[in-house]
Amino acid sequence: MVTTDEKGPLTAKKKSVIIRSCDGDEFLVSESAAVLSTSLKKILEEKEDRLIHLSDIDNKTLAMVIAYLSTHADDGLSDDLKRSFDQEFVSGKEFDVLKYLVLATDTLQVTCLCYTVAKKMADIMKNKLVEWVRREFDIQNDYTPEAEAEIRRLDAWAWDDRQLEDD
Amino acid sequence: MVSSVAKRQKEICRERSMAKREIDDKCSIDRISMLPDKILVIILSLLTVEEATKTSMLSHRWRYLWTFIPRLDFDGTSFLWKVVSVLKTPDIILVIEPLDHSVVKSLDTGLDEQRRNYVGWVDKIIALHKGSSIEELRVFFNLTKTHQKHIDKWLKYALDRNLRRLELNLTNESCRISRPYHECYTFPYRLLGDDSIKFKSLEKLLLHYVNVNGETVEFFLRNCPLLEHVSISQSGDLSTLKIVGPFPSFKRLEISLCHQLESVEIRDLDIVNLKYEGKMIHFILEDVLSLVELYIGGVLTYSMETELFYKSVKLINLKELVLKFTVASHDSWLPLTNLIRASPYLQKLVLKPWYYQAFGERKFEKTERSYQHLKEVKLEGYTDLIRASPYLPLHCQPFGFGERNFEKTERSYQHLKEVKSEGYTDLIRASPYLPLHCQPFGFGERNSEKTERSYRHLKEVKSEGYRGATSEVELIMHLLHCSTSLAKILVDPCVAEKSMFNTKIHINQTIKDENNARTHANQQLRKMMSPRINLEIL
């Protein structure tokens, strides 16, 4: 909800949108950046209100997504620069951070960012032993030892003696 | 100012999100499994099929998740590794040295066994797969026509599911002998007859070591409005290819090593990227104004270039040109400039020579004789001949680049002055290396106006497989002189023949040659560089 006090400057800057995270903080985003998200685009088409409340995206994640959208909406940047931005964007990020990011991209429907983040997560999983993935990603092994052995037996063709690094 | 309701909302939100974080910390819920299936499937589809299937082991939830992946990447690298693991140095199996008979035999049996494993594996995966649409099918393994039925089945499965990218690379990796065409898998032409609807979504078509004919390629282009990238390699069925546009989506065409090919005709296309590598063919290239990157490779790159040039092909958007060519060490490279000239906005030039004669055996006497001979002719004013042998003065290089050489170059310089005063500007333009020889004597400036115009936009030159041959130095000098914005020359003496295992193939002689080339580049090329050029020697 926006008071009349706020509406003044808002109508003046017609090209901007305010996005509020679930932490309550507000971010001013250019409309050209916001519409790169399919969900935001739909919301903007449906309602006059320039304030969008996202109840399941926190400050930190939202700030990252907005940085991404703003960079990709910048016509002054070449595709090469955008590509290297994408690389930088996901490198060195903690798995948890990536997880919230990928969830946010799903909510906001930002397909290209979703794939960039998913690719990074896939790269982290690559060449790792099952035990490593379980440990690192806190996945509860709900198989009984017998069931696990059975799957290993059934899926022997997918398993045999692959060389994997356990680091 | 925010109203009190909004303020309250804000507080609730903050509390909620803090509560959420606390739960996360306390219970340490599956960090990855809390993601919806939809996203997990996306992540899995970015792995190879081999890696994705392994996740069924994680927990019940993961058991069949991978079966929904829309991207099937049947990467057979690990199967290929098993074949070559019988060797002491599997990463350099392709070295030319003969292998022991027993090793060869175990390689062959190993390959047969892994082929059975691979085919059985792909069959099983496809039987278990449940996804309703397939974005990508990638098959990368050493397979032949023996596996025709299996591969046909995989193709049909994927094509029935709105396939977007097809990559069939039936590589010859881990084989020591090349595979004749009649043993290669042949594209199932009857699939095309069925109904063309199923090809509607195709964006990329890559067929390597697959026999496929020109009509099929044309069929795909006509029936797949989204088709953007076509790459055909090692096809024994391709004899003629005629692609006449417009096909607005079509941006990239690669044809390589199709030895039955006789003619290629490309007209009215918006392609941005074109690669041709192979034997000399009748090549028509017209109205491809969007072309930005061009790669030409093969035995007769020269003739092809000349042909293109004389048909006055203009490549007004070309930014990058890669030339791969087979030459004798004494062949001049200057004819290559034809194509460079046809591309006024060229920015990057990559040269990849392949010498079919070892460097140790350079015949000094022979070059000397031909030099003397040419000098005589030159004096008779046969300008054509001079144009045809523009490398002339530099041939003295093998006798040492020092003082002795200067006499000779000086003589040729004097001669040229004469020619020039007679007004043979064409000749000078046609032998553009000339000013550079004369430069030390202060001849450069007068000439520069003319030549300068040639390569105004060229910024980077990369010389791969550099050997320090006369022809190489000569062309580099020529480019140096004729370009105003050239900033970087990259000299890489390594012959970049890479195998799947990503290791460079080295033979002792090659290593020796590479070291000589490096020394040469350091001693000779450095001297000639102007300060604005960044010369990098790898």
Side-chain angles (χ1 to χ4, degrees), chain A residues 10-160:
Chain A
L10 264 184
T11 34
K13 283 192 211 159
K14 227 180 176 176
K15 290 283 165 200
S16 292
V17 184
I18 293 177
I19 302 177
R20 186 190 288 158
S21 75
C22 70
D23 302 323
D25 288 2
E26 287 171 3
F27 297 83
L28 192 69
V29 187
S30 76
E31 194 177 305
S32 60
V35 294
L36 291 180
S37 143
T38 315
S39 319
L40 292 182
K41 193 178 172 199
K42 268 185 209 149
I43 296 173
L44 287 172
E45 279 163 5
E46 280 163 15
K47 62 175 200 174
E48 280 295 297
D49 204 346
R50 294 273 127 182
L51 178 82
I52 297 172
H53 187 191
L54 299 169
S55 59
D56 49 8
I57 301 179
D58 62 86
N59 265 346
K60 201 175 139 197
T61 310
L62 187 58
M64 283 188 284
V65 176
I66 287 171
Y68 176 90
L69 293 178
S70 307
T71 307
H72 280 256
D74 189 343
D75 294 332
L77 296 177
S78 70
D79 287 350
D80 276 348
L81 275 171
K82 284 176 188 173
R83 261 191 294 275
S84 56
F85 170 84
D86 289 0
Q87 286 309 311
E88 280 289 301
F89 189 76
V90 289
S91 75
K93 283 204 168 44
E94 300 253 323
F95 194 78
D96 257 354
V97 176
L98 294 173
K99 192 185 67 185
Y100 285 111
L101 255 178
V102 81
L103 275 172
T105 60
D106 187 44
T107 312
L108 293 171
Q109 292 176 275
V110 192
T111 321
C112 47
L113 180 58
C114 179
Y115 273 88
T116 309
V117 178
K119 179 86 183 83
K120 177 72 186 173
M121 295 170 93
D123 288 345
I124 295 177
M125 291 171 75
K126 223 170 247 178
N127 295 325
K128 300 295 191 316
L129 282 176
V130 167
E131 288 72 22
W132 186 92
V133 179
R134 278 199 198 124
R135 194 171 63 230
E136 198 61 16
F137 299 159
D138 292 329
I139 296 170
Q140 297 265 308
N141 176 14
D142 52 7
Y143 289 127
T144 61
E146 295 78 35
E148 195 173 330
E150 180 67 6
I151 294 170
R152 271 193 199 267
R153 196 183 61 80
L154 282 176
D155 294 359
W157 47 270
W159 283 91
D160 47 62

Side-chain angles (χ1 to χ4, degrees), chain B residues 233-247:
Chain B
S233 166
Q234 302 273 5
S235 163
D237 282 2
L238 195 64
S239 58
T240 55
L241 183 64
K242 184 176 173 183
I243 305 178
V244 180
F247 299 116

Side-chain angles (χ1 to χ4, degrees), chain B residues 79 83 108-118 141:
Chain B
F79 293 84
V83 179
D108 289 349
T109 20
L111 182 59
D112 281 342
E113 189 193 334
Q114 291 311 323
R115 278 174 174 161
R116 278 194 302 277
N117 287 350
Y118 181 87
F141 193 66

Side-chain angles (χ1 to χ4, degrees), chain B residues 258-323:
Chain B
C258 298
H259 299 297
Q260 308 295 320
L261 194 60
E262 276 155 16
S263 74
V264 170
E265 186 177 338
I266 295 168
R267 282 181 212 272
D268 281 325
L269 287 182
D270 291 331
I271 46 171
V272 173
N273 202 304
L274 174 66
K275 174 177 173 174
Y276 174 78
E277 183 168 6
K279 61 169 196 169
M280 178 58 194
I281 49 163
H282 185 58
F283 203 99
I284 299 174
L285 189 66
E286 270 181 34
D287 292 321
V288 283
L289 299 178
S290 319
L291 203 61
V292 173
E293 282 181 45
L294 175 63
Y295 181 119
I296 297 182
V299 180
L300 288 157
T301 305
Y302 285 146
S303 340
M304 178 130 151
E305 273 216 309
T306 316
E307 195 180 340
L308 288 177
F309 179 66
Y310 283 117
K311 285 189 185 129
S312 62
V313 173
K314 279 283 171 227
L315 303 165
I316 54 162
N317 279 306
L318 200 69
K319 302 249 170 9
E320 184 170 337
L321 176 63
V322 181
L323 297 168

